[in-house]
Amino acid sequence: MIILALETSCDETAVSLVKDNEYILADLLSSQIDLHQTYGGVVPELACRRHIESIGPLMNEALAKAGIGLSKVDAVAVTAGPGLIGALLVGVSYAKSLAYALGKPLIAVHHLAGHIQAAFIEHRKIAFPALALVVSGGHTNLYMMPEQGRYRLVGKTVDDAAGEAFDKGARMLGLGYPGGPVIDRLARKGDPEKFPFTRPYRSSEHTDFSFSGLKTALRQCLMKIPQSIKETTAFQKDIAAGFQEAIIGSLVEKTFQAAQKEHVNSIIICGGVASNSLLRTRIETAAAQHGISVHIPSPRYCTDNGAMIAMAGFLEFERGRFASLNLNPKPQLTLN
Ligand code: KG4
Ligand code: ZN
């Protein structure tokens, strides 16, 4: 059984062909980072136009890589939300046309379910109940999973997402877009104690996050530093380390708070920010201390990709949940 999966929710066009929920025949990505870098963030109109240009050639390339024709495809899965409406529309329209032309079922996938299912690409046996932290550019959500394919929201950001905090922080520091990878790289050689930021929204009462205050804290800190110092790499490394520490500290603390409250056997960390090196080591150390197993996809499956949409698509297929050709994408689609 082969699923062709399309992902166009934000700034990456991704196409994947996956066989039997397991074998990745092709997993291609056309990144738009160069396009949006000039603006310091994703420009929705430009993103849609690039998706339109990329999707057809990328699909043909994926088929060639897999060595199969379209007739071998058994179902078409596509991200139906959440995401940028214009960007989502490109993938959904393309998927609907394909499904119609091939006479094959269409599957609507929730982008965050895709991120969570990415963990199952490399970790086939994850013990339930599990807790999934989805930490990306647009979301910071904690989901309780009593079993495979069932999700209950138990925590979320009340304002900015963690990836957004990285991106906005990097922008203030003049480090370019996307901010996460560059802050991660700089922070490795910095001292987090030099510019400490208060870990935001701490409380044993809830498992929600808040990251927008960190922007203000960073702005205030930068106002006090002379320009000549701000331009040094030593300063950039230390400030990156301090800023990153506050975000990652909060993510780790809240994740384990929720894991204990919900008595889970496993933790899944996924989404673009899950490729952060400090988050990965901190989570692994804490998981070993708590005796909980942790599963984090390889970095290439943390950021947006097509294979994760195919994986979530297989679950829908198994349950007989298909979309109609009237499918419309939803920018605010919820997961439950
Ligand atoms: O999941 P993703 O590719 O797209 C969304 O669904 O949003 O996540 C993109 C986000 C960006 O905010 C980016 O800065 C962040 O993931 N990111 C990272 C790292 N790599 C990507 N954040 C921290 N450290 C990283 N190494
Ligand atoms: Zn994503």
Side-chain angles (χ1 to χ4, degrees):
M1 224 279 285
I2 296 177
I3 285 190
L4 167 70
L6 308 172
E7 152 65 42
T8 63
S9 67
C10 190
D11 62 344
E12 318 270 11
T13 318
V15 179
S16 192
L17 284 151
V18 179
K19 188 173 180 221
D20 299 338
N21 200 12
E22 192 166 358
Y23 307 103
I24 299 182
L25 307 179
D27 186 33
L28 301 183
L29 198 74
S30 168
S31 172
Q32 304 184 354
I33 286 178
D34 57 331
L35 182 68
H36 303 289
Q37 225 152 21
T38 334
Y39 307 94
V42 180
V43 183
E45 184 58 31
L46 295 181
C48 323
R49 290 183 200 187
R50 185 64 79 84
H51 283 309
I52 293 169
E53 286 162 17
S54 309
I55 196 159
L58 201 64
M59 185 191 73
N60 291 335
E61 215 185 301
L63 289 164
K65 175 126 196 292
I68 59 167
L70 271 175
S71 60
K72 290 277 185 286
V73 169
D74 296 292
V76 181
V78 65
T79 305
L84 302 169
I85 184 63
L88 288 165
L89 266 169
V90 177
V92 168
S93 309
Y94 204 87
K96 288 202 287 195
S97 322
L98 269 177
Y100 177 69
L102 298 173
K104 299 290 177 184
L106 176 70
I107 302 169
V109 172
H110 191 288
H111 184 75
L112 302 190
H115 273 304
I116 295 171
Q117 293 305 321
F120 293 83
I121 298 174
E122 296 152 302
H123 310 275
R124 310 294 304 173
K125 290 197 170 70
I126 296 183
F128 292 98
L131 178 79
L133 169 70
V134 188
V135 64
S136 69
H139 295 86
T140 303
N141 289 356
L142 277 167
Y143 290 100
M144 173 63 192
M145 293 177 72
E147 58 185 27
Q148 176 59 299
R150 280 188 54 210
Y151 311 96
R152 176 166 55 85
L153 188 67
V154 294
K156 61 177 186 329
T157 179
V158 296
D159 42 53
D160 290 354
E164 198 177 348
F166 272 110
D167 294 336
K168 289 178 176 170
R171 195 169 168 177
M172 275 184 223
L173 294 165
L175 299 174
Y177 173 86
V182 54
I183 290 188
D184 185 356
R185 202 173 54 245
L186 282 169
R188 273 176 227 171
K189 296 198 183 104
D191 176 0
E193 303 294 322
K194 285 256 176 72
F195 299 100
F197 289 83
T198 310
R199 201 177 285 181
Y201 218 45
R202 292 182 96 172
S203 163
S204 54
E205 305 279 299
H206 62 76
T207 44
D208 288 334
F209 306 88
S210 167
F211 295 108
S212 75
L214 278 175
K215 280 178 308 198
T216 320
L218 179 61
R219 192 174 302 116
Q220 280 167 351
C221 171
L222 289 176
M223 274 174 353
K224 294 183 207 138
I225 312 282
Q227 191 60 27
S228 56
I229 295 193
K230 273 195 245 180
E231 280 162 10
T232 63
T233 35
F235 169 77
Q236 292 195 332
K237 286 174 186 167
D238 291 338
I239 192 100
F243 189 70
Q244 174 175 267
E245 176 65 42
I247 300 173
I248 302 303
S250 169
L251 291 174
V252 175
E253 186 175 89
K254 288 290 167 66
T255 300
F256 282 92
Q257 213 170 296
Q260 280 178 315
K261 196 168 154 214
E262 302 287 343
H263 306 290
V264 297
N265 289 323
S266 325
I267 293 177
I268 293 168
I269 312 286
C270 56
V273 181
S275 49
N276 182 273
S277 54
L278 183 68
L279 178 60
R280 298 175 83 92
T281 45
R282 283 278 172 84
I283 287 279
E284 267 154 18
T285 313
Q289 282 164 358
H290 286 81
I292 301 176
S293 60
V294 61
H295 307 278
I296 316 178
S298 303
R300 60 167 304 210
Y301 295 126
C302 288
T303 42
D304 291 348
N305 63 87
M308 71 185 201
I309 303 304
M311 293 298 282
F314 275 103
L315 273 185
E316 297 296 302
F317 192 98
E318 278 164 17
R319 281 153 202 207
R321 290 201 296 237
F322 299 108
S324 82
L325 291 175
N326 292 332
L327 176 69
N328 276 321
K330 288 203 178 77
Q332 312 289 349
L333 193 64
T334 53
L335 178 62
N336 43 43

